[in-house]
Amino acid sequence: MLEVHLPGLDLKNPVMPASGCFAFGKEYGTLYDLNQLGAITIKAATLHARFGNPTPRVAETPSGMLNAIGLQNPGAEQIISEELPYLAGYDVPVIANIAGSEMSDYVQTAEKMSASPVVRALELNISCPNVKHGGIQFGTVPEVAAELTAKVKAVSAKPVYVKLSPNVTDIVAMARAVEQAGADGLSMINTLLGMRIDLRTKRPVLANQTGGLSGPAIKPVAIRMIYEVSQKVNIPIIGMGGIQSADDVIEYFLAGASAVAVGTANFIDPLICPKIIHELPGKLNALGVSDINDLVGRSWKSWNRKNG
Amino acid sequence: MIQEEMVVTAQTKIADGVFELRLSGRIATLVTEPGQFVHMRVPGESGMLSPVLRRPISICSVDPAHRELTLIYRVVGLGSQLLSNTCPGMKIDVFGPLGHGFPVDEVPAGGRALMIGGGVGVPPLYGLAEALTDRGIEVTHILGFRSDKDIFYEAQFAALGETVIFTDDGSHGRKGLVTDAIGEAAYDVAYACGPLPMLKAVQNVITEKPLFVSMEQRMGCGFGACLACAVHTTDAQDHKGYRRVCCDGPVFRAGEVELC
Ligand SMILES: Cc1cc2nc3c(=O)[nH]c(=O)nc-3n(C[C@H](O)[C@H](O)[C@H](O)COP(=O)(O)OP(=O)(O)OC[C@H]3O[C@@H](n4cnc5c(N)ncnc54)[C@H](O)[C@@H]3O)c2cc1C
Ligand SMILES: Cc1cc2nc3c(=O)[nH]c(=O)nc-3n(C[C@H](O)[C@H](O)[C@H](O)COP(=O)(O)O)c2cc1C
């Protein structure tokens, strides 16, 4: 009922923690059995270690939060030697999120991470709003995103999912560009660029000034983008943005997602992923659905049928 | 470390904008060190969205036999305001106990400890003072508040050991800064919790004896996964180069991390 098969990923259920919200699994592994998860998307890896941005790195917003962690991570080699062995102990596919500031370091990171037997797929983060150099054009200019995708595909030993930024005017153009460049799937969406200003200090709350907005506040934006993109591409979409319940997961499938990732909600309720997975069968039964895969894109598929 | 619904057993205003909250539940039996904290999901009110993130609050004291925790917090914004509206019998979603607290074994048997606190940094020092006096350690407290109306727990601290109160405006106790009295105290180990400028000043004064400081940072997950609260180590050669305030701290040996 919950099993999902995507390029490189045979998932017992379609629910996984989103990159950057679950580190490399150890902390959540002390709270519950990670084998319950459909997959695990690990924190972004860059070629070399990064400390990230100064604090404050997070700020609360109505129904959401801003973060500007700045891709803090110990670097690809150390992730492979120090972090992945822990996840190898679980029967859960690992998706390695990779980031960079230039084509060449993306490519080298992709080559290293995809070579690890623990990693089943790459998630190419072309959309992190919190890094000063490079970063942004990879996620906003279709030609640049396509070139990067092709270069990463050429070296990757595993399927590549490209994680799209919502901070663009034409998300369909971005999705089509990376599909044509060889992407095996899409992840959408990353965070929306935002800011909060402190009334007392009259300065931005985040030390980085701007940050990425996540949480329930961005769910309608993600649903709309997945609805638009899924009708125009032939590769699967891992949907994310504000998911907090089994109902949200079903809404993402209806929009056109084939799997989902849960980010911010892990901070609100550390047990949210197993809770959602546990609730899903009952919710599907109530809708008379016997296989979650039947729901993919049903919002537009049924519409087309009625009008076609 | 568990997540559970704790029951509010008491909510008392103990100073201007400062509340003492008692909570009952299993978390109270899991606390291992004074200075650990809980991460609380604050319930919203009808017609209003609940705050998204949890709020970190230090454990002031713990009564495992009665499965009860005491927290003391100041109302500063939406979350703490909503928390102050909760009444006995209500349930609150609490995650904890979290973090590494004050090492009580650092003080040699029969030794003396100095506690320096400012404002709502004072509460975790109370549980620490209890734990130390239980071990026969002699404790001295230097506690700073803005003004007379902000003071709490003076009698409780005084019952455990010598207690010197400072106020910024001299409306109660001595006028001045907590650092003014450090030189007058005899101690083997010092512990401090309070606003950043106070911690920096204390760290500049106490250079010869062991000092432990409790830090605050804005947090996401509260247990090490999101890296929202990462701070640099002072040792540039440190293999990681950073510590997470939520799980490597919030208490650090002075000089281990940059105070920021
Ligand atoms: C380990 C630790 C222990 C703490 N112990 C206590 C205590 O015992 N008593 C007490 O009164 N306060 C304590 N604080 C501070 C307390 O967490 C904040 O006052 C509280 O989160 C403010 O929430 P708010 O919604 O009222 O304020 P808002 O300003 O509306 O909060 C907005 C956001 O900023 C965060 N935030 C604001 N101020 C702080 C701060 N100083 N530290 C961390 N996050 C902050 C909030 O958690 C929230 O996510 C502690 C903080 C930490 C990190
Ligand atoms: C604290 C934090 C750190 C994040 N780090 C990363 C990251 O390293 N790489 C990445 O691709 N996305 C990162 N994201 C984005 C999430 O993976 C996700 O796309 C986004 O938060 C939307 O989902 P949500 O609303 O469920 O959080 C991060 C988000 C948060 C809140």
Side-chain angles (χ1 to χ4, degrees):
Chain A
M1 175 180 233
L2 296 182
E3 248 178 68
V4 166
H5 300 279
L6 305 177
L9 301 169
D10 291 322
L11 312 179
K12 46 187 169 284
N13 68 68
V15 181
M16 64 189 86
S19 179
C21 301
F22 210 75
F24 303 99
K26 274 182 196 144
E27 293 79 15
Y28 286 88
T30 63
L31 292 178
Y32 62 84
D33 180 4
L34 302 184
N35 279 324
Q36 296 171 79
L37 299 169
I40 294 173
T41 320
I42 56 176
K43 178 142 191 66
T46 51
L47 190 55
H48 303 294
R50 282 179 60 102
F51 174 74
N53 292 320
T55 60
R57 292 176 168 187
V58 293
E60 192 176 61
T61 64
S63 293
M65 66 178 281
L66 293 166
N67 90 79
I69 308 293
L71 298 180
Q72 178 165 6
N73 80 96
E77 265 161 29
Q78 203 168 323
I79 291 173
I80 291 166
S81 63
E82 314 266 304
E83 306 290 351
L84 293 185
Y86 172 81
L87 289 173
Y90 289 95
D91 180 26
V92 178
V94 170
I95 303 172
N97 185 283
I98 60 163
S101 40
E102 283 165 44
M103 295 257 181
S104 62
D105 59 87
Y106 265 110
V107 168
Q108 288 178 64
T109 310
E111 196 167 4
K112 282 192 203 308
M113 294 302 294
S114 70
S116 161
V118 183
V119 171
R120 303 284 179 82
L122 293 185
E123 182 175 64
L124 182 58
N125 180 0
I126 58 168
S127 45
C128 184
N130 300 325
V131 284
K132 286 270 177 302
H133 305 290
I136 202 76
Q137 80 204 30
F138 292 118
T140 53
V141 182
E143 296 73 28
V144 180
E147 188 187 343
L148 180 65
T149 304
K151 286 196 164 137
V152 166
K153 268 299 285 180
V155 298
S156 176
K158 306 285 162 60
V160 176
Y161 291 72
V162 179
K163 185 160 181 178
L164 300 182
S165 167
N167 304 306
V168 295
T169 33
D170 189 351
I171 190 77
V172 172
M174 291 299 301
R176 280 184 150 155
V178 300
E179 181 186 31
Q180 274 159 22
D184 298 283
L186 301 171
S187 286
M188 25 188 322
I189 56 175
N190 209 320
T191 54
L192 286 148
L193 207 50
M195 181 185 276
R196 266 206 71 177
I197 296 169
D198 186 308
L199 301 193
R200 272 183 308 118
T201 64
K202 301 176 184 63
R203 303 279 310 145
V205 173
L206 297 175
N208 188 54
Q209 300 175 355
T210 61
L213 181 64
S214 64
I218 72 167
K219 197 184 86 178
V221 178
I223 293 285
R224 185 268 294 175
M225 289 186 160
I226 292 168
Y227 179 87
E228 289 176 355
V229 168
S230 62
Q231 297 181 56
K232 296 289 188 303
V233 299
N234 293 308
I235 48 178
I237 298 172
I238 302 174
M240 66 201 76
I243 295 176
Q244 312 194 81
S245 66
D247 283 347
D248 291 340
V249 174
I250 292 171
E251 191 177 345
Y252 267 84
F253 271 75
L254 293 172
S258 298
V260 293
V262 178
T264 304
N266 291 292
F267 309 156
I268 306 172
D269 178 349
L271 301 172
I272 194 67
C273 287
K275 280 182 188 164
I276 290 175
I277 292 162
H278 191 71
E279 272 177 22
L280 259 179
K283 293 283 184 184
L284 293 174
N285 279 331
L287 291 172
V289 175
S290 59
D291 182 351
I292 194 163
N293 295 288
D294 293 344
L295 291 178
V296 178
R298 274 287 286 280
S299 59
W300 50 266
K301 282 180 185 160
S302 53
W303 188 88
N304 283 348
R305 215 172 292 144
K306 233 186 304 166
N307 294 274
Chain B
M1 176 175 75
I2 59 166
Q3 181 198 8
E4 68 170 341
E5 300 261 299
M6 294 189 86
V7 179
V8 176
T9 51
Q11 169 90 267
T12 321
K13 189 170 176 197
I14 56 169
D16 188 30
V18 178
F19 292 79
E20 180 196 68
L21 177 68
R22 293 221 155 99
L23 296 169
S24 162
R26 200 153 74 84
I27 289 174
T29 65
L30 303 174
V31 178
T32 53
E33 272 175 336
Q36 288 184 297
F37 70 100
V38 290
H39 216 20
M40 312 175 74
R41 189 168 179 190
V42 184
E45 286 175 327
S46 62
M48 189 183 155
L49 294 165
S50 305
V52 167
L53 296 175
R54 288 172 179 269
R55 299 298 193 263
I57 304 285
S58 298
I59 296 168
C60 168
S61 62
V62 55
D63 179 351
H66 296 94
R67 295 163 55 95
E68 204 171 60
L69 288 181
T70 301
L71 315 177
I72 292 177
Y73 63 94
R74 175 185 294 283
V75 172
V76 296
L78 174 65
S80 45
Q81 176 69 53
L82 288 167
L83 192 58
S84 72
N85 296 342
T86 57
C87 322
M90 285 174 71
K91 288 183 175 163
I92 303 183
D93 175 345
V94 183
F95 181 36
L98 301 173
H100 284 95
F102 296 106
V104 287
D105 293 334
E106 286 286 325
V107 192
R112 286 172 297 194
L114 175 64
M115 264 145 279
I116 305 153
V120 283
V122 168
L125 298 179
Y126 183 68
L128 173 63
E130 282 186 321
L132 290 169
T133 48
D134 277 352
R135 285 162 194 255
I137 308 289
E138 199 180 303
V139 292
T140 302
H141 316 103
I142 307 175
L143 309 177
F145 298 92
R146 260 176 298 182
S147 180
D148 190 33
K149 65 182 188 350
D150 302 303
I151 296 171
F152 55 87
Y153 267 43
E154 183 179 5
Q156 284 90 328
F157 276 102
L160 297 177
E162 188 190 347
T163 302
V164 184
I165 303 282
F166 277 90
T167 48
D168 295 349
D169 61 3
S171 54
H172 189 105
R174 288 163 64 172
K175 180 175 160 71
L177 301 173
V178 288
T179 39
D180 298 346
I182 292 174
E184 303 158 21
Y187 59 95
D188 300 299
V189 178
Y191 302 92
C193 185
L196 203 56
M198 185 202 98
L199 295 182
K200 286 185 175 163
V202 169
Q203 196 170 291
N204 286 337
V205 173
I206 301 180
T207 50
E208 308 286 308
K209 302 221 170 117
L211 166 68
F212 295 87
V213 298
S214 182
M215 288 181 68
E216 285 186 3
Q217 273 295 340
R218 284 173 187 247
M219 292 177 179
C221 67
F223 75 125
C226 76
L227 299 182
C229 63
V231 291
H232 280 288
T233 50
T234 31
D235 177 5
Q237 303 306 314
D238 183 85
H239 77 292
K240 265 170 71 179
Y242 71 94
R243 296 287 183 273
R244 296 160 296 181
V245 170
C246 68
C247 63
D248 299 318
V251 175
F252 295 98
R253 185 181 286 272
E256 183 177 353
V257 294
E258 282 176 13
L259 292 181
C260 60

